[in-house]
Amino acid sequence: RKLGYAIVGLGSYATRQIMPRLKDCEFAKLAALVSGTPEKLERYGAEYGIPKTHRYSYANYDSIRDNPDIDLVYVVLPNSMHAEYSIRASQAGKHVLCEKPMAVSAAECEVMIAAAKKAGKKLMIGYRCHFEPYNLRGIELVKSGFVGRPRVITSEHGFNAQPNQWRLDRPLSGGGSMMDIGIYSLNAARYLAGEEPIEVSAMESTDRKDPRFRNVEDQIDWQMRFPSGALASCVSSYSSNHNAWRVVGTDGWVGMEPATGYDGHQMWTRKGGKTEQVTLPAPPKNQFVAQLDHLAECAMNGREPIVSGEEGLRDMRLIEAIYRSAREGKAVRMTAA
Ligand code: NAD
């Protein structure tokens, strides 16, 4: 049988990107909805044929434990709610897929990992680029030595943030552009390097007079040093548009722009004086479907998700180091966890 997802939080990403894709899954289906807004439960419940018995509020959320049709819980809430709702899902005996950023601190990530472990259930983070064919090809090209020895990675992500939203409210977001979009720069630099940074150095630029940035950062850029000697330069911005990465090695480069969006990916390589565009066939499952199926498969086969809670924790430790470096104005060395 297909495993059933409960979707927690019926906002933009859940309703526009995730719920419509579940019908294309091989191993998963939509089984239940969780929302604080009765009208949304009614509207989406009717649209997706979810019976009233499978519609939950945040108040009776814990009773999902008694619903055998729910195997998996997908937490798509504002960042500061990720930990609580993931932990409660683990305690209800469900596997968890939690959106990025995993939580708002490394300490919270550790509690989430412990809760899933104690329940004997899987915990996966919504890093969809790990299921996106062009990004996977990029990883493969670097790994296979196409660019030679990687020396310079650039990874830039940003957009112009609209005012008046939870992303600009620190108690809900946990931080500014870094938490929301800069995390793509960070995660891409790490998956492309194929190794873990040993040092970070960051600088922030925020106009505190801009009403959007009263308590979260706008731009934060940072560098990372990898054990091989490769360096990454990363951008995170809430006031300029970026969506690109490039890995330059001793023999050539591979790059993408747009790199990590929902669609429209474009990739180029350069080697021996020749620049070429890489075009891949449409995959049988797009990144959303592949991600949703992956947790279901892991739950069925007892395997660890390729983007586990530990992966989310690694990013969160680095985000904390990036913030610290910007605050203190000096490089931060990463210590082994
Ligand atoms: P959104 O604002 O559209 O949705 C958030 C939902 O949470 C809304 O339905 C809202 O009603 C609900 N909510 C519950 N309590 C709330 C509270 N106290 N304040 C505000 N909202 C509350 O946001 P979104 O864009 O859907 O983002 C949700 C999560 O998904 C975030 O963690 C975000 O980082 C992540 N996300 C991931 C991707 C991706 O590509 N992986 C894309 C977009 C968003």
Side-chain angles (χ1 to χ4, degrees):
R1 80 178 173 102
K2 289 186 179 184
L3 298 192
Y5 270 102
I7 304 292
V8 186
L10 303 179
S12 158
Y13 190 60
T15 61
R16 292 193 204 161
Q17 305 304 330
I18 299 303
M19 282 152 57
R21 259 77 181 224
L22 273 157
K23 66 173 183 336
D24 300 326
C25 286
E26 193 180 348
F27 305 112
K29 63 180 181 186
L30 181 59
L33 300 172
V34 183
S35 171
T37 314
E39 297 76 39
K40 284 194 206 167
L41 287 173
E42 185 57 44
R43 173 177 160 201
Y44 293 111
E47 185 178 333
Y48 286 93
I50 305 299
K52 288 202 161 55
T53 50
H54 291 50
R55 302 178 194 170
Y56 296 85
S57 68
Y58 298 123
N60 70 358
Y61 174 58
D62 300 299
S63 61
I64 60 171
R65 99 175 47 239
D66 305 318
N67 189 335
D69 295 336
I70 301 172
D71 305 285
L72 318 157
V73 170
Y74 195 166
V75 177
V76 207
L77 289 164
N79 307 341
S80 69
M81 301 171 78
H82 289 181
E84 178 190 341
Y85 284 84
S86 295
I87 292 165
R88 284 166 68 183
S90 298
Q91 287 170 344
K94 310 298 179 183
H95 303 282
V96 175
L97 176 49
C98 174
E99 256 317 314
K100 45 59 55 179
M102 179 172 173
V104 295
S105 70
E108 278 188 348
C109 296
E110 282 162 7
V111 182
M112 292 163 77
I113 291 169
K117 202 165 273 169
K118 187 167 175 210
K121 300 290 168 183
K122 306 295 174 199
L123 171 59
M124 171 171 156
I125 310 306
Y127 287 122
R128 57 178 168 70
C129 298
H130 292 249
F131 301 91
E132 194 287 309
Y134 283 94
N135 281 273
L136 293 175
R137 173 60 63 90
I139 294 169
E140 225 175 77
L141 283 170
V142 175
K143 216 182 199 164
S144 70
F146 176 84
V147 302
R149 215 156 36 86
R151 298 296 295 149
V152 178
I153 299 170
T154 52
S155 191
E156 302 180 15
H157 288 80
F159 63 90
N160 236 314
Q162 294 303 307
N164 306 318
Q165 54 161 326
W166 65 260
R167 283 178 173 75
L168 303 173
D169 185 15
R170 178 174 290 274
L172 285 165
S173 61
S177 69
M178 183 69 230
M179 284 286 179
D180 190 72
I181 190 73
I183 193 169
Y184 286 91
S185 291
L186 172 61
N187 200 251
R190 288 182 46 245
Y191 60 66
L192 292 164
E195 51 182 345
E196 294 302 325
I198 49 175
E199 187 177 0
V200 305
S201 177
M203 210 179 262
E204 188 198 319
S205 175
T206 303
D207 176 3
R208 293 293 171 189
K209 291 195 288 299
D210 185 324
R212 293 176 300 171
F213 304 128
R214 284 206 190 91
N215 63 12
V216 298
E217 82 280 358
D218 171 8
Q219 188 180 338
I220 185 160
D221 293 2
W222 71 98
Q223 289 199 303
M224 299 194 284
R225 183 193 303 281
F226 291 93
S228 66
L231 296 178
S233 289
C234 303
V235 170
S236 172
S237 174
Y238 262 168
S239 57
S240 49
N241 289 305
H242 312 249
N243 193 298
W245 59 247
R246 189 151 85 130
V247 183
V248 186
T250 47
D251 300 343
W253 58 255
V254 51
M256 285 186 66
E257 182 168 10
T260 60
Y262 297 159
D263 50 32
H265 302 87
Q266 299 217 46
M267 170 177 268
W268 283 268
T269 60
R270 184 167 174 85
K271 197 169 173 165
K274 228 170 87 187
T275 305
E276 281 180 54
Q277 181 156 19
V278 176
T279 310
L280 300 176
K285 294 179 186 181
N286 68 28
Q287 58 182 331
F288 301 98
V289 175
Q291 169 185 267
L292 288 160
D293 263 344
H294 181 68
L295 179 62
E297 264 194 290
C298 287
M300 289 190 270
N301 304 333
R303 283 205 312 268
E304 262 318 285
I306 58 168
V307 276
S308 61
E310 279 75 12
E311 173 72 4
L313 171 60
R314 279 191 280 271
D315 271 353
M316 197 51 63
R317 286 204 176 115
L318 282 157
I319 289 174
E320 288 184 344
I322 289 162
Y323 280 141
R324 199 179 124 204
S325 171
R327 207 169 48 237
E328 297 179 357
K330 57 183 191 213
V332 173
R333 288 192 73 80
M334 299 306 295
T335 47

